[in-house]
Amino acid sequence: MAKMILKYEAAVLKEIPLKGTTLTIGRTQQNDLTIDNLAVSGHHAKVYYEGDKFVLEDLNSLNGTFVNNQRIRKSFLKNGDEVLIGKHTLVYVDEGGAPPPPPQDNADRTMPVAKLEETMVLDTKKRREMLQKATVVATEGASAAPAAEKVGSLTVLDGKTDQKEYILTGRLSMIGKSDQATIKLKGWFAPQVAAVVNRKETGYSISPSGTETKVNGQGVSGSRDLKEGDVIEVAGIKLQFYFRE
């Protein structure tokens, strides 16, 4: 039987058997597994059975969901995988045996994503202050998932990052050196958080965080909406914004 082992640092808090039905994880009591920590979103992630494997899916949480130190949107789980949610760890253990029974109810149990101000951001004081400024912009579309079918992406044109393309599925996508950043900068002097891309119902916008940010060669102060083909320059890198179907 497969199960999740909830840990905080070295202490084991709980073992949760996975029986083939959806396991919702978050800070509110409506979840199957409640993690009472402000770094965890109200409805943070879910685990469900797909095909012949269990799948972990992030629910647009503010601080993200990580498997073996890699931020994920959706990931098939393997025996021994370590899932990081807020400051807690979930270890996936698959002891083999008969597969779980199919769910009796196929209804989607995904709950609405918590608003940004409900979740404490994990990082330095500077980053928390930056996110507080961005909240005014980000919460315009925070009460529900974005209605637009198009998803924004950033392609790296120049500079040192860990990838060449980033798909902006989260409500907040941070650019910086921080472990929580979506677009990770490389280099000794790279800022922890240089700017934040906000996903709203009406599209995307970018907000600088103490680092000079330009869109199409013009400086940005406050926030600026992004359009197809916009070129962003920040912290020594150059990115191009476009939509994916």
Side-chain angles (χ1 to χ4, degrees):
M1 176 182 288
K3 61 183 176 181
M4 303 293 287
I5 300 175
L6 177 65
K7 300 173 63 178
Y8 183 78
E9 297 181 348
V12 174
L13 304 181
K14 185 184 294 186
E15 292 190 5
I16 308 98
L18 299 176
K19 300 179 180 179
T21 54
T22 301
L23 174 74
T24 58
I25 305 168
R27 199 175 72 252
T28 67
Q29 295 295 326
Q30 290 92 342
N31 293 282
D32 301 309
L33 174 58
T34 301
I35 301 178
D36 188 12
N37 186 290
L38 289 177
V40 179
S41 293
H43 304 282
H44 198 106
K46 64 179 179 178
V47 178
Y48 56 94
Y49 200 65
E50 183 176 286
D52 60 350
K53 295 180 180 180
F54 280 100
V55 177
L56 172 70
E57 183 175 342
D58 181 77
L59 299 178
N60 287 330
S61 63
L62 179 55
N63 283 313
T65 302
F66 297 79
V67 176
N68 301 328
N69 296 320
Q70 296 293 319
R71 186 167 186 166
I72 61 95
R73 171 63 179 164
K74 179 179 178 181
S75 177
F76 287 98
L77 292 172
K78 303 183 300 296
N79 186 42
D81 279 350
E82 293 192 357
V83 178
L84 182 65
I85 293 181
K87 295 183 178 181
H88 288 69
T89 301
L90 285 161
V91 181
Y92 174 71
V93 178
D94 187 355
E95 299 174 337
Q104 297 299 315
D105 184 1
N106 292 325
D108 186 4
R109 296 182 62 194
T110 301
M111 304 295 290
V113 178
K115 292 185 179 181
L116 298 182
E117 68 267 24
E118 295 176 351
T119 307
M120 181 185 72
V121 179
L122 286 174
D123 210 300
T124 61
K125 179 180 178 182
K126 178 180 177 181
R127 181 180 169 197
R128 290 197 296 272
E129 292 173 349
M130 175 276 299
L131 286 176
Q132 287 172 356
K133 295 178 182 177
T135 297
V136 175
V137 177
T139 52
E140 292 178 9
S143 58
E149 295 181 0
K150 292 183 178 180
V151 176
S153 297
L154 289 174
T155 298
V156 180
L157 302 178
D158 190 24
K160 296 181 179 180
T161 57
D162 65 333
Q163 297 177 201
K164 290 299 182 183
E165 182 183 4
Y166 300 89
I167 302 174
L168 308 176
T169 57
R171 212 166 289 280
L172 279 179
S173 299
M174 282 167 281
I175 303 172
K177 192 177 180 180
S178 166
D179 290 339
Q180 304 297 323
T182 304
I183 298 89
K184 290 188 180 294
L185 304 180
K186 295 184 177 181
W188 184 262
F189 298 105
Q192 288 294 307
V193 179
V196 175
V197 177
N198 299 281
R199 185 181 185 185
K200 307 177 293 182
E201 290 185 359
T202 55
Y204 291 78
S205 65
I206 187 168
S207 304
S209 177
T211 301
E212 183 181 16
T213 302
K214 295 182 180 180
V215 175
N216 300 330
Q218 297 182 346
V220 177
S221 60
S223 68
R224 171 166 173 164
D225 290 337
L226 293 173
K227 302 185 298 296
E228 182 87 16
D230 279 351
V231 175
I232 301 166
E233 297 175 75
V234 58
I237 65 169
K238 185 181 291 186
L239 308 155
Q240 187 166 34
F241 176 82
Y242 65 97
F243 285 103
R244 295 169 64 97
E245 296 293 340

